Each structure stands twice: as structure tokens, then as C-alpha cells.
mmCIF file of all heavy atoms in Angstrom:
data_model
loop_
_atom_site.group_PDB
_atom_site.id
_atom_site.type_symbol
_atom_site.label_atom_id
_atom_site.label_comp_id
_atom_site.label_asym_id
_atom_site.label_seq_id
_atom_site.Cartn_x
_atom_site.Cartn_y
_atom_site.Cartn_z
ATOM 1 N N THR A 92 -2.606 7.289 -4.770
ATOM 2 C CA THR A 92 -1.660 6.560 -5.597
ATOM 3 C C THR A 92 -0.357 7.272 -5.325
ATOM 4 O O THR A 92 -0.056 8.413 -5.089
ATOM 5 C CB THR A 92 -1.921 6.589 -7.115
ATOM 6 O OG1 THR A 92 -1.894 8.060 -7.480
ATOM 7 C CG2 THR A 92 -3.270 5.974 -7.293
ATOM 8 N N GLU A 93 0.771 6.285 -5.389
ATOM 9 C CA GLU A 93 2.144 6.721 -5.450
ATOM 10 C C GLU A 93 2.569 6.749 -6.853
ATOM 11 O O GLU A 93 2.559 5.821 -7.557
ATOM 12 C CB GLU A 93 3.027 5.782 -4.623
ATOM 13 C CG GLU A 93 2.705 5.785 -3.007
ATOM 14 C CD GLU A 93 3.533 4.780 -2.386
ATOM 15 O OE1 GLU A 93 4.250 4.092 -3.099
ATOM 16 O OE2 GLU A 93 3.413 4.654 -1.144
ATOM 17 N N GLN A 94 3.048 7.912 -7.338
ATOM 18 C CA GLN A 94 3.355 7.985 -8.785
ATOM 19 C C GLN A 94 4.460 7.205 -9.121
ATOM 20 O O GLN A 94 5.409 6.966 -8.445
ATOM 21 C CB GLN A 94 3.760 9.503 -9.068
ATOM 22 C CG GLN A 94 3.771 9.908 -10.583
ATOM 23 C CD GLN A 94 4.135 11.309 -10.634
ATOM 24 O OE1 GLN A 94 5.158 11.633 -10.527
ATOM 25 N NE2 GLN A 94 3.113 12.087 -10.938
ATOM 26 N N SER A 95 4.329 6.467 -10.242
ATOM 27 C CA SER A 95 5.353 5.322 -10.554
ATOM 28 C C SER A 95 5.404 5.133 -12.040
ATOM 29 O O SER A 95 4.540 5.598 -12.797
ATOM 30 C CB SER A 95 4.836 4.012 -9.959
ATOM 31 O OG SER A 95 3.440 3.678 -10.404
ATOM 32 N N PRO A 96 6.527 4.521 -12.454
ATOM 33 C CA PRO A 96 6.616 4.148 -13.846
ATOM 34 C C PRO A 96 5.665 3.233 -14.343
ATOM 35 O O PRO A 96 5.040 2.526 -13.454
ATOM 36 C CB PRO A 96 8.104 3.562 -13.890
ATOM 37 C CG PRO A 96 8.811 3.950 -12.737
ATOM 38 C CD PRO A 96 7.738 4.174 -11.691
ATOM 39 N N PRO A 97 5.366 2.949 -15.642
ATOM 40 C CA PRO A 97 4.385 2.215 -16.068
ATOM 41 C C PRO A 97 4.575 0.691 -15.657
ATOM 42 O O PRO A 97 3.639 -0.088 -15.586
ATOM 43 C CB PRO A 97 4.382 2.357 -17.638
ATOM 44 C CG PRO A 97 5.039 3.642 -17.880
ATOM 45 C CD PRO A 97 5.926 3.862 -16.702
ATOM 46 N N VAL A 98 5.783 0.314 -15.476
ATOM 47 C CA VAL A 98 6.108 -1.119 -15.069
ATOM 48 C C VAL A 98 5.607 -1.498 -13.715
ATOM 49 O O VAL A 98 5.634 -2.643 -13.415
ATOM 50 C CB VAL A 98 7.561 -1.361 -15.295
ATOM 51 C CG1 VAL A 98 7.968 -1.224 -16.639
ATOM 52 C CG2 VAL A 98 8.335 -0.609 -14.268
ATOM 53 N N TRP A 99 5.201 -0.552 -12.879
ATOM 54 C CA TRP A 99 4.723 -0.752 -11.549
ATOM 55 C C TRP A 99 3.440 -1.569 -11.485
ATOM 56 O O TRP A 99 2.551 -1.333 -12.393
ATOM 57 C CB TRP A 99 4.476 0.538 -10.695
ATOM 58 C CG TRP A 99 5.870 0.946 -10.166
ATOM 59 C CD1 TRP A 99 7.128 0.808 -10.653
ATOM 60 C CD2 TRP A 99 5.969 1.747 -9.007
ATOM 61 N NE1 TRP A 99 7.954 1.284 -9.858
ATOM 62 C CE2 TRP A 99 7.460 1.951 -8.848
ATOM 63 C CE3 TRP A 99 5.175 2.237 -8.095
ATOM 64 C CZ2 TRP A 99 7.945 2.695 -7.825
ATOM 65 C CZ3 TRP A 99 5.579 2.963 -7.013
ATOM 66 C CH2 TRP A 99 7.007 3.253 -6.947
ATOM 67 N N ARG A 100 3.414 -2.571 -10.608
ATOM 68 C CA ARG A 100 2.041 -3.159 -10.406
ATOM 69 C C ARG A 100 1.142 -2.284 -9.511
ATOM 70 O O ARG A 100 1.539 -1.742 -8.609
ATOM 71 C CB ARG A 100 2.418 -4.455 -9.756
ATOM 72 C CG ARG A 100 1.186 -5.375 -9.493
ATOM 73 C CD ARG A 100 1.506 -6.682 -8.845
ATOM 74 N NE ARG A 100 1.970 -6.307 -7.379
ATOM 75 C CZ ARG A 100 2.728 -7.323 -6.788
ATOM 76 N NH1 ARG A 100 3.139 -8.296 -7.344
ATOM 77 N NH2 ARG A 100 3.158 -6.991 -5.551
ATOM 78 N N ARG A 101 -0.068 -2.148 -9.922
ATOM 79 C CA ARG A 101 -1.133 -1.512 -9.082
ATOM 80 C C ARG A 101 -2.023 -2.376 -8.500
ATOM 81 O O ARG A 101 -2.491 -3.447 -9.058
ATOM 82 C CB ARG A 101 -1.906 -0.421 -10.061
ATOM 83 C CG ARG A 101 -0.914 0.633 -10.746
ATOM 84 C CD ARG A 101 -1.888 1.613 -11.579
ATOM 85 N NE ARG A 101 -1.033 2.642 -12.173
ATOM 86 C CZ ARG A 101 -0.731 3.703 -11.391
ATOM 87 N NH1 ARG A 101 -1.190 4.022 -10.256
ATOM 88 N NH2 ARG A 101 0.055 4.593 -12.091
ATOM 89 N N SER A 102 -2.298 -2.174 -7.139
ATOM 90 C CA SER A 102 -3.083 -3.087 -6.439
ATOM 91 C C SER A 102 -4.173 -2.106 -5.812
ATOM 92 O O SER A 102 -3.845 -1.033 -5.395
ATOM 93 C CB SER A 102 -2.419 -3.705 -5.284
ATOM 94 O OG SER A 102 -1.731 -2.983 -4.400
ATOM 95 N N ARG A 103 -5.527 -2.603 -5.712
ATOM 96 C CA ARG A 103 -6.551 -1.886 -5.046
ATOM 97 C C ARG A 103 -6.918 -2.501 -3.696
ATOM 98 O O ARG A 103 -7.111 -3.591 -3.644
ATOM 99 C CB ARG A 103 -7.785 -1.844 -5.971
ATOM 100 C CG ARG A 103 -8.829 -0.844 -5.644
ATOM 101 C CD ARG A 103 -9.818 -0.560 -6.777
ATOM 102 N NE ARG A 103 -10.754 0.483 -6.485
ATOM 103 C CZ ARG A 103 -10.466 1.772 -6.595
ATOM 104 N NH1 ARG A 103 -9.379 2.238 -7.080
ATOM 105 N NH2 ARG A 103 -11.368 2.676 -6.313
ATOM 106 N N LEU A 104 -6.841 -1.730 -2.656
ATOM 107 C CA LEU A 104 -7.229 -2.156 -1.305
ATOM 108 C C LEU A 104 -8.422 -1.584 -0.784
ATOM 109 O O LEU A 104 -8.848 -0.473 -1.098
ATOM 110 C CB LEU A 104 -6.104 -1.594 -0.300
ATOM 111 C CG LEU A 104 -4.607 -2.104 -0.751
ATOM 112 C CD1 LEU A 104 -3.638 -1.453 0.229
ATOM 113 C CD2 LEU A 104 -4.488 -3.598 -0.569
ATOM 114 N N VAL A 105 -9.297 -2.357 -0.044
ATOM 115 C CA VAL A 105 -10.597 -2.085 0.301
ATOM 116 C C VAL A 105 -10.591 -2.300 1.874
ATOM 117 O O VAL A 105 -10.259 -3.398 2.178
ATOM 118 C CB VAL A 105 -11.711 -2.752 -0.319
ATOM 119 C CG1 VAL A 105 -13.172 -2.411 0.213
ATOM 120 C CG2 VAL A 105 -11.667 -2.513 -1.881
ATOM 121 N N VAL A 106 -10.828 -1.186 2.697
ATOM 122 C CA VAL A 106 -11.053 -1.398 4.072
ATOM 123 C C VAL A 106 -12.521 -1.189 4.381
ATOM 124 O O VAL A 106 -12.993 -0.118 4.178
ATOM 125 C CB VAL A 106 -10.264 -0.407 4.888
ATOM 126 C CG1 VAL A 106 -10.493 -0.756 6.388
ATOM 127 C CG2 VAL A 106 -8.820 -0.564 4.547
ATOM 128 N N THR A 107 -13.289 -2.248 4.811
ATOM 129 C CA THR A 107 -14.648 -2.246 4.754
ATOM 130 C C THR A 107 -15.141 -1.634 3.279
ATOM 131 O O THR A 107 -14.891 -2.216 2.360
ATOM 132 C CB THR A 107 -15.320 -1.345 5.849
ATOM 133 O OG1 THR A 107 -14.806 -0.039 5.867
ATOM 134 C CG2 THR A 107 -14.894 -2.037 7.257
ATOM 135 N N ALA A 108 -15.740 -0.451 3.355
ATOM 136 C CA ALA A 108 -16.016 0.094 2.061
ATOM 137 C C ALA A 108 -15.163 1.273 1.668
ATOM 138 O O ALA A 108 -15.476 2.038 0.686
ATOM 139 C CB ALA A 108 -17.515 0.505 1.994
ATOM 140 N N PHE A 109 -13.994 1.525 2.323
ATOM 141 C CA PHE A 109 -13.111 2.623 2.049
ATOM 142 C C PHE A 109 -12.113 2.201 1.026
ATOM 143 O O PHE A 109 -11.347 1.152 1.160
ATOM 144 C CB PHE A 109 -12.396 2.995 3.411
ATOM 145 C CG PHE A 109 -11.691 4.283 3.253
ATOM 146 C CD1 PHE A 109 -12.143 5.445 3.592
ATOM 147 C CD2 PHE A 109 -10.402 4.265 2.570
ATOM 148 C CE1 PHE A 109 -11.490 6.573 3.495
ATOM 149 C CE2 PHE A 109 -9.734 5.543 2.352
ATOM 150 C CZ PHE A 109 -10.225 6.630 2.893
ATOM 151 N N CYS A 110 -12.218 2.769 -0.152
ATOM 152 C CA CYS A 110 -11.286 2.331 -1.194
ATOM 153 C C CYS A 110 -10.141 3.358 -1.438
ATOM 154 O O CYS A 110 -10.415 4.559 -1.515
ATOM 155 C CB CYS A 110 -12.093 2.461 -2.571
ATOM 156 S SG CYS A 110 -13.542 1.313 -2.531
ATOM 157 N N ALA A 111 -8.838 2.823 -1.458
ATOM 158 C CA ALA A 111 -7.628 3.712 -1.698
ATOM 159 C C ALA A 111 -6.658 2.910 -2.558
ATOM 160 O O ALA A 111 -6.409 1.803 -2.154
ATOM 161 C CB ALA A 111 -7.098 4.050 -0.335
ATOM 162 N N ALA A 112 -6.301 3.486 -3.718
ATOM 163 C CA ALA A 112 -5.416 2.859 -4.627
ATOM 164 C C ALA A 112 -4.009 3.170 -4.142
ATOM 165 O O ALA A 112 -3.667 4.358 -3.925
ATOM 166 C CB ALA A 112 -5.737 3.295 -5.966
ATOM 167 N N LEU A 113 -3.214 2.099 -3.946
ATOM 168 C CA LEU A 113 -1.770 2.316 -3.515
ATOM 169 C C LEU A 113 -0.973 1.603 -4.484
ATOM 170 O O LEU A 113 -1.003 0.492 -4.623
ATOM 171 C CB LEU A 113 -1.635 1.845 -2.148
ATOM 172 C CG LEU A 113 -2.404 2.639 -1.007
ATOM 173 C CD1 LEU A 113 -2.301 1.727 0.192
ATOM 174 C CD2 LEU A 113 -1.641 3.938 -0.746
ATOM 175 N N CYS A 114 0.060 2.314 -5.174
ATOM 176 C CA CYS A 114 0.991 1.576 -6.043
ATOM 177 C C CYS A 114 2.189 1.232 -5.182
ATOM 178 O O CYS A 114 2.794 2.160 -4.697
ATOM 179 C CB CYS A 114 1.341 2.560 -7.260
ATOM 180 S SG CYS A 114 -0.153 2.745 -8.328
ATOM 181 N N VAL A 115 2.681 0.038 -5.273
ATOM 182 C CA VAL A 115 3.822 -0.407 -4.621
ATOM 183 C C VAL A 115 4.718 -1.216 -5.538
ATOM 184 O O VAL A 115 4.270 -1.992 -6.324
ATOM 185 C CB VAL A 115 3.453 -1.195 -3.306
ATOM 186 C CG1 VAL A 115 2.649 -0.347 -2.346
ATOM 187 C CG2 VAL A 115 2.590 -2.415 -3.719
ATOM 188 N N ALA A 116 5.980 -1.196 -5.207
ATOM 189 C CA ALA A 116 6.930 -1.850 -6.190
ATOM 190 C C ALA A 116 6.997 -3.213 -5.597
ATOM 191 O O ALA A 116 6.828 -3.515 -4.424
ATOM 192 C CB ALA A 116 8.295 -1.202 -6.051
ATOM 193 N N PRO A 117 7.022 -4.213 -6.581
ATOM 194 C CA PRO A 117 7.193 -5.671 -6.163
ATOM 195 C C PRO A 117 8.303 -5.934 -5.190
ATOM 196 O O PRO A 117 9.400 -5.482 -5.334
ATOM 197 C CB PRO A 117 7.409 -6.378 -7.551
ATOM 198 C CG PRO A 117 6.846 -5.410 -8.527
ATOM 199 C CD PRO A 117 7.171 -4.158 -8.075
ATOM 200 N N GLY A 118 8.021 -6.674 -4.170
ATOM 201 C CA GLY A 118 8.986 -7.039 -3.102
ATOM 202 C C GLY A 118 9.368 -5.883 -2.191
ATOM 203 O O GLY A 118 10.204 -6.068 -1.286
ATOM 204 N N GLN A 119 8.837 -4.680 -2.346
ATOM 205 C CA GLN A 119 9.142 -3.699 -1.433
ATOM 206 C C GLN A 119 7.916 -3.092 -0.773
ATOM 207 O O GLN A 119 7.639 -1.908 -0.712
ATOM 208 C CB GLN A 119 9.819 -2.446 -2.251
ATOM 209 C CG GLN A 119 11.098 -2.862 -2.958
ATOM 210 C CD GLN A 119 12.213 -3.259 -2.015
ATOM 211 O OE1 GLN A 119 12.216 -2.790 -0.963
ATOM 212 N NE2 GLN A 119 13.026 -4.106 -2.461
ATOM 213 N N VAL A 120 7.192 -3.932 0.007
ATOM 214 C CA VAL A 120 5.949 -3.664 0.640
ATOM 215 C C VAL A 120 6.336 -3.409 2.130
ATOM 216 O O VAL A 120 6.886 -4.317 2.736
ATOM 217 C CB VAL A 120 4.865 -4.645 0.495
ATOM 218 C CG1 VAL A 120 3.660 -4.399 1.120
ATOM 219 C CG2 VAL A 120 4.635 -4.984 -0.953
ATOM 220 N N HIS A 121 5.911 -2.169 2.648
ATOM 221 C CA HIS A 121 6.171 -1.919 4.084
ATOM 222 C C HIS A 121 4.913 -1.742 4.705
ATOM 223 O O HIS A 121 3.744 -1.630 4.166
ATOM 224 C CB HIS A 121 6.853 -0.582 4.045
ATOM 225 C CG HIS A 121 8.302 -0.541 3.426
ATOM 226 N ND1 HIS A 121 9.353 -1.316 3.913
ATOM 227 C CD2 HIS A 121 8.669 -0.107 2.195
ATOM 228 C CE1 HIS A 121 10.370 -1.257 3.113
ATOM 229 N NE2 HIS A 121 10.019 -0.458 2.113
ATOM 230 N N ALA A 122 4.927 -1.787 6.075
ATOM 231 C CA ALA A 122 3.674 -1.705 6.812
ATOM 232 C C ALA A 122 3.013 -0.441 6.594
ATOM 233 O O ALA A 122 3.634 0.590 6.688
ATOM 234 C CB ALA A 122 3.946 -1.963 8.356
ATOM 235 N N PHE A 123 1.644 -0.411 6.604
ATOM 236 C CA PHE A 123 0.917 0.828 6.558
ATOM 237 C C PHE A 123 -0.443 0.584 7.384
ATOM 238 O O PHE A 123 -1.095 -0.473 7.213
ATOM 239 C CB PHE A 123 0.548 1.184 5.103
ATOM 240 C CG PHE A 123 -0.294 2.527 5.123
ATOM 241 C CD1 PHE A 123 0.548 3.774 5.254
ATOM 242 C CD2 PHE A 123 -1.477 2.515 4.894
ATOM 243 C CE1 PHE A 123 -0.226 4.950 5.197
ATOM 244 C CE2 PHE A 123 -2.187 3.778 4.766
ATOM 245 C CZ PHE A 123 -1.572 4.949 4.958
ATOM 246 N N GLU A 124 -0.766 1.626 8.171
ATOM 247 C CA GLU A 124 -1.939 1.496 9.012
ATOM 248 C C GLU A 124 -2.918 2.684 8.643
ATOM 249 O O GLU A 124 -2.501 3.705 8.267
ATOM 250 C CB GLU A 124 -1.669 1.554 10.473
ATOM 251 C CG GLU A 124 -0.878 0.380 11.037
ATOM 252 C CD GLU A 124 -0.806 0.380 12.511
ATOM 253 O OE1 GLU A 124 -1.301 1.219 13.018
ATOM 254 O OE2 GLU A 124 -0.019 -0.565 13.007
ATOM 255 N N LEU A 125 -4.226 2.392 8.571
ATOM 256 C CA LEU A 125 -5.228 3.315 8.366
ATOM 257 C C LEU A 125 -6.275 3.180 9.468
ATOM 258 O O LEU A 125 -6.786 1.941 9.531
ATOM 259 C CB LEU A 125 -5.872 3.339 6.934
ATOM 260 C CG LEU A 125 -6.966 4.248 6.656
ATOM 261 C CD1 LEU A 125 -6.468 5.691 6.764
ATOM 262 C CD2 LEU A 125 -7.524 4.061 5.345
ATOM 263 N N PHE A 126 -6.640 4.248 10.299
ATOM 264 C CA PHE A 126 -7.662 4.064 11.267
ATOM 265 C C PHE A 126 -7.412 3.008 12.304
ATOM 266 O O PHE A 126 -8.172 2.250 12.776
ATOM 267 C CB PHE A 126 -9.124 3.830 10.630
ATOM 268 C CG PHE A 126 -9.479 4.858 9.660
ATOM 269 C CD1 PHE A 126 -9.876 4.458 8.466
ATOM 270 C CD2 PHE A 126 -9.385 6.191 9.937
ATOM 271 C CE1 PHE A 126 -10.351 5.403 7.440
ATOM 272 C CE2 PHE A 126 -9.782 7.132 9.054
ATOM 273 C CZ PHE A 126 -10.188 6.780 7.758
ATOM 274 N N GLY A 127 -6.007 2.729 12.493
ATOM 275 C CA GLY A 127 -5.698 1.803 13.527
ATOM 276 C C GLY A 127 -5.526 0.434 12.992
ATOM 277 O O GLY A 127 -5.276 -0.628 13.625
ATOM 278 N N ILE A 128 -5.754 0.093 11.647
ATOM 279 C CA ILE A 128 -5.826 -1.204 11.082
ATOM 280 C C ILE A 128 -4.713 -1.302 10.061
ATOM 281 O O ILE A 128 -4.321 -0.338 9.268
ATOM 282 C CB ILE A 128 -7.088 -1.441 10.293
ATOM 283 C CG1 ILE A 128 -8.315 -1.537 11.131
ATOM 284 C CG2 ILE A 128 -7.022 -2.784 9.518
ATOM 285 C CD1 ILE A 128 -9.590 -1.575 10.239
ATOM 286 N N LYS A 129 -3.849 -2.432 10.269
ATOM 287 C CA LYS A 129 -2.712 -2.625 9.380
ATOM 288 C C LYS A 129 -3.247 -3.118 8.078
ATOM 289 O O LYS A 129 -3.825 -4.187 7.968
ATOM 290 C CB LYS A 129 -1.703 -3.520 10.006
ATOM 291 C CG LYS A 129 -0.502 -3.706 9.244
ATOM 292 C CD LYS A 129 0.553 -4.673 9.888
ATOM 293 C CE LYS A 129 1.324 -4.038 11.019
ATOM 294 N NZ LYS A 129 0.817 -4.453 12.340
ATOM 295 N N LEU A 130 -2.982 -2.410 6.952
ATOM 296 C CA LEU A 130 -3.484 -2.809 5.755
ATOM 297 C C LEU A 130 -2.643 -3.741 5.050
ATOM 298 O O LEU A 130 -3.062 -4.715 4.337
ATOM 299 C CB LEU A 130 -3.573 -1.579 4.821
ATOM 300 C CG LEU A 130 -4.562 -0.500 5.258
ATOM 301 C CD1 LEU A 130 -4.654 0.524 4.258
ATOM 302 C CD2 LEU A 130 -5.915 -0.954 5.571
ATOM 303 N N PHE A 131 -1.198 -3.576 5.121
ATOM 304 C CA PHE A 131 -0.353 -4.574 4.629
ATOM 305 C C PHE A 131 0.973 -4.414 5.225
ATOM 306 O O PHE A 131 1.276 -3.444 6.079
ATOM 307 C CB PHE A 131 -0.272 -4.377 3.073
ATOM 308 C CG PHE A 131 0.234 -3.093 2.645
ATOM 309 C CD1 PHE A 131 1.532 -2.754 2.695
ATOM 310 C CD2 PHE A 131 -0.671 -2.234 2.310
ATOM 311 C CE1 PHE A 131 1.959 -1.455 2.304
ATOM 312 C CE2 PHE A 131 -0.247 -0.875 1.940
ATOM 313 C CZ PHE A 131 1.058 -0.608 1.848
ATOM 314 N N GLY A 132 1.904 -5.452 5.079
ATOM 315 C CA GLY A 132 3.272 -5.347 5.620
ATOM 316 C C GLY A 132 3.471 -5.908 6.922
ATOM 317 O O GLY A 132 2.579 -6.287 7.575
ATOM 318 N N SER A 133 4.732 -5.728 7.412
ATOM 319 C CA SER A 133 5.013 -6.141 8.756
ATOM 320 C C SER A 133 5.527 -4.941 9.609
ATOM 321 O O SER A 133 5.504 -3.893 9.253
ATOM 322 C CB SER A 133 6.308 -7.107 8.640
ATOM 323 O OG SER A 133 7.493 -6.349 8.121
ATOM 324 N N ASP A 134 5.747 -5.345 10.893
ATOM 325 C CA ASP A 134 6.102 -4.257 11.860
ATOM 326 C C ASP A 134 7.533 -3.921 11.834
ATOM 327 O O ASP A 134 8.011 -3.051 12.522
ATOM 328 C CB ASP A 134 5.676 -4.741 13.244
ATOM 329 C CG ASP A 134 4.248 -4.682 13.530
ATOM 330 O OD1 ASP A 134 3.540 -3.888 12.968
ATOM 331 O OD2 ASP A 134 3.764 -5.619 14.207
ATOM 332 N N GLU A 135 8.313 -4.720 11.087
ATOM 333 C CA GLU A 135 9.730 -4.427 11.012
ATOM 334 C C GLU A 135 10.064 -3.004 10.496
ATOM 335 O O GLU A 135 9.589 -2.790 9.434
ATOM 336 C CB GLU A 135 10.354 -5.533 10.276
ATOM 337 C CG GLU A 135 10.351 -6.938 10.910
ATOM 338 C CD GLU A 135 11.085 -7.912 9.970
ATOM 339 O OE1 GLU A 135 11.792 -7.564 9.044
ATOM 340 O OE2 GLU A 135 11.001 -9.182 10.505
ATOM 341 N N PRO A 136 10.779 -2.199 11.119
ATOM 342 C CA PRO A 136 11.088 -0.939 10.532
ATOM 343 C C PRO A 136 11.899 -1.021 9.284
ATOM 344 O O PRO A 136 12.729 -1.844 9.242
ATOM 345 C CB PRO A 136 11.796 -0.200 11.675
ATOM 346 C CG PRO A 136 12.497 -1.328 12.546
ATOM 347 C CD PRO A 136 11.542 -2.474 12.427
ATOM 348 N N GLU A 137 11.740 0.072 8.317
ATOM 349 C CA GLU A 137 12.510 -0.082 7.083
ATOM 350 C C GLU A 137 13.827 0.292 7.359
ATOM 351 O O GLU A 137 14.683 0.065 6.413
ATOM 352 C CB GLU A 137 11.832 0.874 6.109
ATOM 353 C CG GLU A 137 11.854 2.478 6.557
ATOM 354 C CD GLU A 137 10.750 2.785 7.445
ATOM 355 O OE1 GLU A 137 10.011 2.015 7.901
ATOM 356 O OE2 GLU A 137 10.637 4.027 7.828
#
């Protein structure tokens, strides 16, 4: 988890059966890869 204020939306992502909770701010989602798989976001650099 990314530590955040209570107003943050929390989303739970599952890669096959690998569970990792990642807190992201609305509208500020960036690309993230795990084990070579892009979980979310685009390739555009921040």
C-alpha cells in the first residue's frame, strides 16, 4: 500500500493469484509492471 489520507480510493489488484493492494489517487494512475506484466497505466513517462 501507498500510505494515503482517508479520502483516497483503495483498489485491490490480482495477478493470477498474486494479491497486492495499491492505493492510488483518482486520475493519477501511472504505469506499473510486475514480473514483466503491466498491471495498469500507460507507457507515457510521468
Side-chain angles (χ1 to χ4, degrees):
T92 62
E93 294 172 358
Q94 197 177 76
S95 58
V98 297
W99 276 27
R100 180 179 68 206
R101 295 182 179 273
S102 59
R103 193 164 185 83
L104 302 174
V105 179
V106 182
T107 59
F109 189 99
C110 301
L113 293 164
C114 291
V115 295
Q119 299 297 332
V120 181
H121 300 285
F123 182 77
E124 292 187 7
L125 177 64
F126 306 128
I128 297 177
K129 184 180 285 99
L130 301 185
F131 57 82
S133 68
D134 289 322
E135 296 180 3
E137 65 274 6

